[in-house]
Amino acid sequence: AATAQEAADLTLIARLASEALLLPALVAQDAWLTTHALSPVRLPTPEQIAAYLGSAEDRVRCATAAQRLLFGAERRRVPRRWDVDAPALTGFEQGRDAYGQAAAAHALLLQADAGRVVDEAVAGFATLTGRHLPRLDAWEADDADLLILVQGDARAVAQAVARHLRRKRGLKVGVLTLRCLRPFPAEALASLLL
């Protein structure tokens, strides 16, 4: 997250996507500038947050092929088989020969839908708040001959540098901000580079 506002917003987005995918999520923010600086943050109301995140008891459509194999077409938002008050190991030890098969199945059954699910969570948050935080954000990239790829609070500095190079040197420089490492927005990045 580049700002305290983004950290707060991305935490809600990550929670919704994580619950939809049944995969853990992590929101990272840059130290000092986002953790120690005073800055305004506009939080959604508790009612908006409840409407956006829903209840653990809600019935939701299964987001991945793996979920459809386990639960059918729909499931409880937070399945009962995982109890956060009594955590347990889920999974098994596997030998070298099964690792490749498991990695391929993971990509096919779990990760294939992850980008769509995160994008849906981002779109829902934008509808709720008017703040759109795509996995890859492009600034002045449409006509750019040079793109600077950054994460976190480096975005503000990169945009200032790009603005300076555009004004003073006539260089067409844009900035791409990567907000999500997994699922990596490869298609969005490729479309901006080609």
Side-chain angles (χ1 to χ4, degrees):
T3 64
Q5 181 70 61
E6 271 193 20
D9 292 350
L10 290 172
T11 298
L12 292 171
I13 292 167
R15 175 170 167 185
L16 185 65
S18 178
E19 287 181 354
L21 291 165
L22 298 179
L23 292 171
L26 172 83
V27 174
Q29 63 182 353
D30 291 325
W32 197 253
L33 289 178
T34 58
T35 59
H36 290 71
L38 292 176
S39 61
V41 174
R42 293 176 293 139
L43 296 175
T45 66
E47 295 79 19
Q48 288 175 312
I49 292 171
Y52 177 68
L53 294 177
S55 166
E57 304 290 330
D58 290 346
R59 299 295 297 174
V60 297
R61 68 179 172 81
C62 288
T64 67
Q67 290 177 26
R68 288 186 289 279
L69 287 172
L70 290 171
F71 303 110
E74 66 175 34
R75 62 171 173 82
R76 188 174 181 266
R77 181 180 303 278
V78 179
R80 290 193 195 283
R81 64 180 66 183
W82 289 290
D83 183 354
V84 295
D85 296 320
L89 176 67
T90 58
F92 55 91
E93 183 178 342
Q94 61 189 19
R96 203 175 338 159
D97 54 335
Y99 178 78
Q101 294 169 344
H106 184 267
L108 178 65
L109 298 175
L110 291 172
Q111 292 295 329
D113 296 306
R116 174 188 52 77
V117 170
V118 173
D119 292 343
E120 288 172 2
V122 167
F125 191 80
T127 299
L128 177 74
T129 64
R131 297 189 293 270
H132 184 65
L133 301 167
R135 292 183 290 148
L136 181 68
D137 194 24
W139 181 85
E140 297 288 345
D142 291 340
D143 68 339
D145 295 323
L146 175 67
L147 291 169
I148 304 169
L149 179 63
V150 297
Q151 283 186 282
D153 67 5
R155 176 182 66 205
V157 173
Q159 287 175 344
V161 168
R163 200 175 292 115
H164 173 80
L165 292 173
R166 280 178 174 268
R167 285 188 195 143
K168 300 293 183 181
R169 301 219 180 148
L171 298 174
K172 295 179 181 176
V173 181
V175 177
L176 302 178
T177 303
L178 182 62
R179 283 197 185 93
C180 186
L181 290 175
R182 289 187 81 180
F184 189 79
E187 290 178 11
L189 182 59
S191 71
L192 290 165
L193 296 176
L194 300 177

